[in-house]
Each structure stands twice: as C-alpha cells, then as structure tokens.
C-alpha cells in the first residue's frame, strides 16, 4: 500500500500516446505546486510506466493492461476495485467514454473531464471544451486541474515537462550499445500517426552522412516498427547507430539527454527529447506546431505553412507531401551547425 498523503489524493487517467503522456507532466507539476502535499496516482497504459517513473511528481502508477482501442471491461473493473476508497478526486484526460469508467467504478467522489461521448453520470464535473481558448493539448490537460473559472480564462501558467536522468543507466547503454564519446545527434524518423508526419528517409540519411563527416555520432531512435527505417538511414555509415527497437522507453530519456541535438518528426519522442533537455530540431508536415509544440525554449521549428497545411491527415490528400519534401536536408544541417 502506498504511503499516506498529507493532502488531497488525486487520480489522473492518462492519455494513450507517448507525447501526450509527456505533456501531462505539466498538469502533474501544476497540481503539486498548488498542493505540495497532494498524492498523485496515474492510470496509464503499461508501456508508459518507464516515462512516468521519470516524473518526480508521480507517486503511483496504476497500469491499465488493455490494448490501444480495446474496451477491456473486466480489466477496468478489476483495476477500479483496487483503487476504490483511495482517492478523493479524479481527472480524466482522454475524452472517450471508456476512459471515465475506472474512476466511476472506483466510486471516486469528484470526477472531472471534458464533455464528450455522452459521459453523463460517469463524470460529475463536466467541463465545456472551448478550443479557441484551450488551443493546445497541454493547455487542455492543465485546465482540468484548475477551477472551471480559471480554466475558462486560459491565462494560467504551463510548467515545462522535465524527465529525470539516470547517469548510471546511460553508462550501461554506452557500453552495451557500443556508443562513442563523440558529440551525438539523435534522429527520430518515426511518427505513429502516419507518413504525412514523416520527413523522407533519404533526407535523414543525407543529413546523417553530413553530420558524420563533421565528427558527430548519430543515434537513430524509435520502436521496433522503426527498425527498417533506421536500417535505411544507417546502412554502410560508420558512426551511425540504428537503436530502433533495441532500447526501452526509459533508455531513450538518457540517450537523448546525452545528445547535443535531436532531429525529429512531430512524434512522441520529440516530446521526450524536449523534456530531456536536448535541443530539438522539430519537423512539421501535416500537423501544426501551434497545437503540439515541443515544450521547451531550446527548439527550432521547421514548418513551411503551405496553403494546404496543416491538414492533420495520416497521408497527404493531394499526393505530393510538399510540406515535408520541400524541407531539404541542407536546412536542417545549417540549423544544427549554427
């Protein structure tokens, strides 16, 4: 049983994407700043535990062992039973009906979330989402931790995510992955949402060649699905390491914190890089840097703002993906070397 809290016990139902979970730390920071004695538990997918464990504000992780898009009634009911009687308030970040089930079944007295998917009864503090005021994902998360009046004004602070580093783990990774001590640049070629958010792989490879020629080590990071893309970037290039699928999510925090800069699509790892303290070169195509920017002052945004963008589509509806194809590697190389 977790230690007793001196203040309010708050359960947060977290999001299902890496980047959103990183941005949720802004909410956790807000809650702890306003109530230093508060106890924060997070209901989250099991994969997110390594990220949540790097957040000083999170006191407990309650893994929800269901697949993405899966209903998982029995699993949700079982978790609710384990949480019953332990929390005073719940904040439900996703807007789906099923995401509000665990706090309701756990009989948490005060349950807050945005109106959506007919969640009447499941939530007893339903908030209207004014997208003109809460125009960023991180603002929406933080707003749920504030009073309704303060949230509606939209003039509140947004603390930046900061993920704790593990220097001992970094040394272990250096040895086991065969990394050098040369100044490292990270590359994250993946984007779970789809190809309209992915800078062309030949551009990543051309940039990697130029960086190696200038004395850098290049670390290509991503999940198992990105391994083939990493191979295309790294093949035949000494000093380029394809680490896709070879590391855990927590390892990415340490590897990115050790890099001078990170070149990345608008992806979950972009937000991990920003929260790790690495300078971010963020590439936007179908999405908008106004809606999901890297939450750091140390970032350069590469976005052409074409007439057709942002379209927020998985694949380019016009078939050309000019929003990405017209961002040449030379532009990223100049930004890195300046």
């Amino acid at each position: 049983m977790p230690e007793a809290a001196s203040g309010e016990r708050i359960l947060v139902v977290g999001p299902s994407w890496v980047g959103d979970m990183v941005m949720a730390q802004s909410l956790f920071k807000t809650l702890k700043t306003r109530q230093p004695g508060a106890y924060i538990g997070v209901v989250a997918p099991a994969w997110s535990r390594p990220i949540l464990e790097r957040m000083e504000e999170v006191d407990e992780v309650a893994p929800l062992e269901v697949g993405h898009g899966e209903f998982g009634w029995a699993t949700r009911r079982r978790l609710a039973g384990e949480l019953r009687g332990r929390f005073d308030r719940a904040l439900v970040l996703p807007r789906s009906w099923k995401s509000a089930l665990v706090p309701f079944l756990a009989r948490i007295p005060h349950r807050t979330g945005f109106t959506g998917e007919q969640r009447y009864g499941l939530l007893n503090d339903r908030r209207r989402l004014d997208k003109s005021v809460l125009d960023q994902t991180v603002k929406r998360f933080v707003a749920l931790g504030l009073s309704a009046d303060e949230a509606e004004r939209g003039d509140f602070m947004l603390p930046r995510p900061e993920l704790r580093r593990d220097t001992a783990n970094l040394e272990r990774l250096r040895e086991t992955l065969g990394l050098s001590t040369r100044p490292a640049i990270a590359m994250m070629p993946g984007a779970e949402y789809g190809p309209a958010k992915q800078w062309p792989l030949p551009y990543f490879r051309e940039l990697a060649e130029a960086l190696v020629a200038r004395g850098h080590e290049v670390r290509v990071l991503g999940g198992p699905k990105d391994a083939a893309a990493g191979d295309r970037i790294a093949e035949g290039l000494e000093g380029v390491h394809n680490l896709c699928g070879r590391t855990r999510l927590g390892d990415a925090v340490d590897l990115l914190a050790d890099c001078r800069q990170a070149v990345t699509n608008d992806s979950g790892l972009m937000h991990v890089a920003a929260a790790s303290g690495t300078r971010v070169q963020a590439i936007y195509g179908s999405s908008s840097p106004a809606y999901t920017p890297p939450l750091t002052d140390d970032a350069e945004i590469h976005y052409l703002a074409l007439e057709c963008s942002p379209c927020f589509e998985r694949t380019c509806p016009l078939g050309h993906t000019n929003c990405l194809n017209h961002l040449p590697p030379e532009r990223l190389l100049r930004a890195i070397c300046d």
Side-chain angles (χ1 to χ4, degrees):
M1 178 69 68
E3 295 180 5
S6 61
E8 188 179 25
R9 301 179 67 90
I10 305 169
L11 183 71
V12 178
V13 179
S16 298
W17 300 98
V18 174
D20 287 358
M21 191 63 79
V22 173
M23 289 187 281
Q25 192 185 12
S26 296
L27 167 63
F28 308 150
K29 283 177 169 284
T30 298
L31 295 172
K32 285 286 190 175
T33 298
R34 295 182 175 222
Q35 298 188 58
Y39 182 94
I40 297 178
V42 182
V43 173
W47 58 257
S48 65
R49 181 188 286 273
I51 285 291
L52 291 166
E53 289 176 343
R54 298 301 186 98
M55 299 180 183
E56 301 292 347
E57 302 78 18
V58 175
D59 298 295
E60 177 183 353
V61 180
L64 184 60
E65 304 280 358
V66 296
H68 189 70
E70 182 184 345
F71 189 80
W73 166 257
T75 302
R76 294 177 196 274
R77 185 174 59 182
R78 182 169 56 253
L79 179 59
E82 295 170 1
L83 299 173
R84 188 171 299 154
R86 296 189 43 229
F87 290 91
D88 308 305
R89 176 161 61 122
L91 306 176
V92 182
L93 303 192
R95 297 182 65 196
S96 65
W97 187 83
K98 63 186 176 184
S99 65
L101 270 175
V102 169
F104 174 76
L105 295 173
R107 301 176 187 171
I108 296 175
H110 193 80
R111 305 181 300 277
T112 301
F114 290 114
T115 299
E117 289 198 2
Q118 304 298 317
R119 299 195 288 184
Y120 305 104
L122 295 182
L123 301 175
N124 52 20
D125 176 22
R126 294 185 304 278
R127 304 283 183 87
R128 182 180 69 90
L129 175 56
D130 185 343
K131 295 182 179 180
S132 65
V133 175
L134 303 178
D135 56 352
Q136 294 181 337
T137 297
V138 65
K139 290 182 182 179
R140 297 172 188 180
F141 290 168
V142 172
L144 289 177
L146 309 176
S147 69
D149 288 343
E150 187 176 0
E152 287 177 2
R153 292 197 302 271
D155 56 355
F156 45 83
M157 298 292 292
L158 296 172
R160 302 289 174 81
E162 297 175 285
L163 299 174
R164 180 178 52 80
R165 307 174 189 182
D166 184 338
T167 53
N169 186 51
L170 174 61
E171 290 307 311
R172 180 188 66 80
L173 290 167
R174 280 183 179 276
E175 182 177 352
T176 59
L177 297 173
L179 304 179
S180 74
T181 57
R182 284 179 289 171
I185 305 293
M187 288 187 174
M188 286 90 91
E192 189 71 20
Y193 188 72
K197 292 177 72 173
Q198 296 172 339
W199 199 46
L201 289 179
Y203 289 7
F204 274 108
R205 181 176 173 85
E206 184 177 335
L207 180 60
E209 288 183 281
L211 290 170
V212 168
R214 286 164 172 75
H216 291 281
E217 176 180 82
V218 174
R219 302 171 183 173
V220 186
L221 299 174
K225 292 180 182 179
D226 304 312
D231 284 341
R232 289 186 61 186
I233 295 168
E235 186 178 7
L237 294 179
E238 186 176 352
V240 180
H241 299 269
N242 179 15
L243 306 181
C244 297
R246 299 176 60 193
T247 60
R248 301 167 300 173
L249 193 52
D251 296 334
V253 176
D254 301 322
L255 290 167
L256 285 166
D258 185 52
C259 289
R260 300 288 180 89
Q261 300 192 47
V263 180
T264 175
N265 300 318
D266 175 17
S267 66
L269 284 178
M270 176 189 75
H271 294 285
V272 174
S276 300
T278 304
R279 177 164 176 76
V280 175
Q281 302 289 341
I283 302 168
Y284 284 79
S286 64
S287 58
S288 169
Y291 180 56
T292 53
L295 300 179
T296 174
D297 291 327
D298 197 9
E300 185 165 347
I301 304 298
H302 301 275
Y303 178 58
L304 295 178
L306 302 181
E307 185 179 358
C308 55
S309 60
C311 67
F312 298 105
E313 299 290 342
R314 291 181 183 271
T315 58
C316 177
L318 301 178
H320 53 58
T321 321
N322 285 342
C323 56
L324 293 170
N325 290 331
H326 289 179
L327 282 170
E330 293 82 2
R331 170 171 170 165
L332 274 294
L333 183 62
R334 286 196 302 270
I336 292 169
C337 296
D338 282 351

